[in-house]
Amino acid sequence: MKIDTKSKKVNKAWLNDHVNDPYVKLAQREGYRSRAAYKLKEIDEQLGLVQPGQVVVDLGAAPGAWSQYLRRRFAPKVAGQGGAAVGGLNGRILALDLLDFEPIEGVEFLQGDFRDEAVAAKLADMLGGKPVDLVVSDMAPNLSGIESADAARIAHLVELAILFAETHMKPGGALVCKVFHGSGYSQITEGFKRAFHVVKPIKPKASRDKSAETFLVGRRLRSPKVSGA
């Protein structure tokens, strides 16, 4: 059997980088399920997006680090007690993912594909007409390596996140969405600008330099479908 030595070298290099990554070590110390928590933390600290008492929807939530961070922000007095803070929750978090999700106290979870209209409708039912303050999306499709096809899949998920925000979010709310530099990035940015008055790209320090990953933050919807400040 032929062994792909190049692939083995790449995997070994990735594993070495991962093990020695300071954010991986920090996540282990602070009880987060992944280093991704620090991406949202940095975005929040820059822009002040997360406030106690909010209704937040976490799209592409698994394994749950972003929901953990939100949970801590809604229970700051017990923030040091593990990855999912215990105690009262001043706010509401609804998480959705296609993958399994280990429960987090106070976080409501729906398992399903956000591209499925029935799943999106179920998420809307869970909201019960309550307007959303913040939508965070760490969703990413399975990439094929074919640039045009992957760009289309990424753009579709972003479009769905924007549509969800326009349908359920307060006019003054915000959407945080993972995107990738490359084919289709400028079109995605233009879509954000059509939907929001304020659009800001952010590359958190916790996002690896080698990664094409970045985040777009949209604030103040141009065409909200719900009322509220």
Side-chain angles (χ1 to χ4, degrees):
M1 182 175 65
K2 185 178 179 181
I3 299 174
D4 188 343
T5 55
K6 182 178 179 181
S7 178
K8 287 181 67 178
K9 288 179 181 178
V10 170
N11 289 338
K12 187 176 181 180
W14 180 89
L15 183 60
N16 183 67
D17 288 346
H18 182 76
V19 169
N20 293 300
D21 188 306
Y23 289 103
V24 171
K25 294 179 179 178
L26 188 59
Q28 291 170 346
R29 286 200 304 270
E30 296 190 342
Y32 282 117
R33 294 177 183 177
S34 80
R35 65 195 300 285
Y38 301 101
K39 301 173 188 177
L40 182 59
K41 182 176 186 289
E42 186 176 338
I43 293 169
D44 178 34
E45 288 176 347
Q46 282 192 39
L47 302 177
L49 300 177
V50 184
Q51 301 295 331
Q54 290 178 330
V55 176
V56 183
V57 174
D58 182 2
L59 302 174
W66 279 22
S67 286
Q68 285 180 302
Y69 174 74
L70 293 165
R71 180 69 174 86
R72 292 186 185 194
R73 290 286 284 117
F74 288 168
K77 292 182 180 179
V78 289
Q81 298 183 15
V86 297
L89 180 63
N90 184 11
R92 189 179 179 201
I93 305 163
L94 285 77
L96 180 143
D97 203 292
L98 184 62
L99 304 175
D100 290 334
F101 184 90
E102 183 181 345
I104 297 172
E105 181 188 352
V107 176
E108 302 166 59
F109 176 66
L110 172 64
Q111 186 167 11
D113 191 334
F114 188 61
R115 294 168 294 186
D116 187 329
E117 290 184 7
V119 173
K122 175 63 176 176
L123 183 58
D125 288 342
M126 289 172 67
L127 286 169
K130 183 76 173 178
V132 176
D133 298 280
L134 175 65
V135 178
V136 295
S137 172
D138 201 26
M139 292 190 296
N142 291 326
L143 301 179
S144 66
I146 302 172
E147 188 174 8
S148 59
D150 290 341
R153 292 189 181 102
I154 293 166
H156 181 54
L157 287 177
V158 174
E159 288 168 3
L160 289 175
I162 291 174
L163 178 60
F164 181 83
E166 288 179 328
T167 305
H168 300 288
M169 200 166 71
K170 292 179 180 179
L175 168 65
V176 179
C177 206
K178 177 159 72 178
V179 297
F180 296 89
H181 280 289
S183 178
Y185 176 77
S186 60
Q187 290 88 342
I188 290 173
T189 302
E190 287 304 313
F192 254 75
K193 290 179 178 178
R194 287 192 295 270
F196 296 94
H197 287 284
V198 179
V199 176
K200 182 176 180 62
I202 296 181
K203 174 80 170 178
K205 293 176 183 177
S207 186
R208 291 188 173 98
D209 292 338
K210 297 176 183 177
S211 173
E213 169 191 86
T214 190
F215 295 86
L216 287 177
V217 182
R219 307 182 81 168
R220 294 174 46 221
L221 284 163
R222 292 185 183 275
S223 301
K225 294 179 175 60
V226 297
S227 59

